């Protein structure tokens, strides 16, 4: 504890040595072990709450139109509801390679998710792979590291793939939105619309034979269905993604499986369906 040196009568008066020692002892007993200034400080005044700023009087109500449009109904916090998906569509269509697409996405400013994210999470795995997995969007770990599915859900995904002899050298992994939605919320419809052209272009450039959707969000978007994942999962279906046709297989999201491990049995059936589809005898090009 420190004390501002008091300018008391006792100090200005001449103290005898024993009075000075007694005063020091009194300070020491109170926990004071140093003097920090010559002048006393009014600590009560210093800790008084700051005065509230003066609130300007309300502007007169005017019939003139407002300049910023109101948020669209259902807009999610932090979204840019008026960003035009046609912009990402044109940018994605112009990319001739995955590298060009990644570079274009790094320059793209039309999705509000980007402003809150640490970095772009483009993809992981083998761009030559016959299997492409699509998740929902990066989480905290993915946002920090810059690769999809590297957190706990990703570790489970690796184990699911490993169970049927696959790993990241044999699959390509991306997400519906490549920037982390704040607080891991689901991407808004606006964000999905802005980012979907990038994912679609990734599929067209990778040209996998099978697309595996992980959970509801990519399944509804890419299977163009309103049916829930529990109805769609496990069945090999014909899909068209952009200008490219392939087989699609939906399965449960590994993050969901971490929360409800009883459903791992269903995911195991889906992994077996995937294994059967990629077996040499399987006619996945049918
Ligand atoms: N969940 C996803 O959908 N994608 C990731 O990359 C990580 C977690």
């Amino acid at each position: 504890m420190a004390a501002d040196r008091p300018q008391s009568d006792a100090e200005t008066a001449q103290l005898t040595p024993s009075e000075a020692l007694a005063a020091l002892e009194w300070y020491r007993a109170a926990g004071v072990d140093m003097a920090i200034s010559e002048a006393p400080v009014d600590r009560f005044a210093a800790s008084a709450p700051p005065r509230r700023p003066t609130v300007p009087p309300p502007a007169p109500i005017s019939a003139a139109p407002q300049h910023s449009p109101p948020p669209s109904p259902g807009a999610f916090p932090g979204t840019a509801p008026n960003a035009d998906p046609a912009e990402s569509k044109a940018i994605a269509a112009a990319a001739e390679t995955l590298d060009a697409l990644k570079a274009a996405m790094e320059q793209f400013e039309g999705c509000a998710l980007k402003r809150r994210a640490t970095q772009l999470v483009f993809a992981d795995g083998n761009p030559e792979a016959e299997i492409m997995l699509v998740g929902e969007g990066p989480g905290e770990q993915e946002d920090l590291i810059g690769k999809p599915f590297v957190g706990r859900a990703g570790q489970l995904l690796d184990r699911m793939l490993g169970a049927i002899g696959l790993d990241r050298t044999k699959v390509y992994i991306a997400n519906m939105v490549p920037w982390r939605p704040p607080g891991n919320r689901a991407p808004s419809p606006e964000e999905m619309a802005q980012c979907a052209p990038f994912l679609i272009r990734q599929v067209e450039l990778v040209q996998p034979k099978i697309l595996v959707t992980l959970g509801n969000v990519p399944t509804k978007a890419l299977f163009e269905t309103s049916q829930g994942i529990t109805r769609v999962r496990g069945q090999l279906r014909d899909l068209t993604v952009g200008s490219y046709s392939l087989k699609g297989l939906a399965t449960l999201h590994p993050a969901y499986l971490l929360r409800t491990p009883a459903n791992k049995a269903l995911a195991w059936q889906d992994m077996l369906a995937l294994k059967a589809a990629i077996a040499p005898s399987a006619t996945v090009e049918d």
Side-chain angles (χ1 to χ4, degrees), residues 12 35 37 59 86 119 142 146 161 170 173 178 191 196 202 220 253 273 281:
T12 46
S37 75
Q119 59 188 314
E142 290 76 20
L161 294 172
K170 297 179 185 134
I173 310 177
E191 290 155 358
Q202 255 174 308
K220 285 189 170 168
H253 195 289
S281 58

Side-chain angles (χ1 to χ4, degrees), residues 1-121:
M1 180 173 167
D4 305 309
R5 287 192 64 215
Q7 295 282 304
S8 63
D9 290 348
E11 188 176 44
T12 46
Q14 289 292 332
L15 297 180
T16 65
S18 62
E19 284 170 336
L21 275 175
L24 279 175
E25 177 51 26
W26 186 85
Y27 281 136
R28 196 201 59 75
V32 174
D33 53 12
M34 70 166 114
I36 58 171
S37 75
E38 290 297 325
V41 176
D42 182 350
R43 298 286 172 197
F44 290 104
S47 61
R51 297 186 63 185
R52 305 180 106 215
T54 319
V55 179
I61 296 169
S62 136
Q66 302 291 306
H67 289 295
S68 41
S72 65
F76 284 40
T79 59
N82 51 355
D84 185 356
E87 189 191 348
S88 49
K89 228 176 182 169
I91 292 170
E96 295 292 334
T97 63
L98 287 171
D99 284 346
L101 181 64
K102 185 178 180 193
M105 288 164 71
E106 274 164 345
Q107 298 301 314
F108 180 69
E109 299 298 339
C111 179
L113 287 178
K114 184 178 181 184
R115 277 172 242 146
R116 307 267 295 268
T118 308
Q119 59 188 314
L120 173 76
V121 177

Side-chain angles (χ1 to χ4, degrees), residues 175-186:
N175 278 308
M176 281 310 300
V177 296
W179 294 283
R180 182 192 182 200
N184 294 349
R185 63 163 169 74

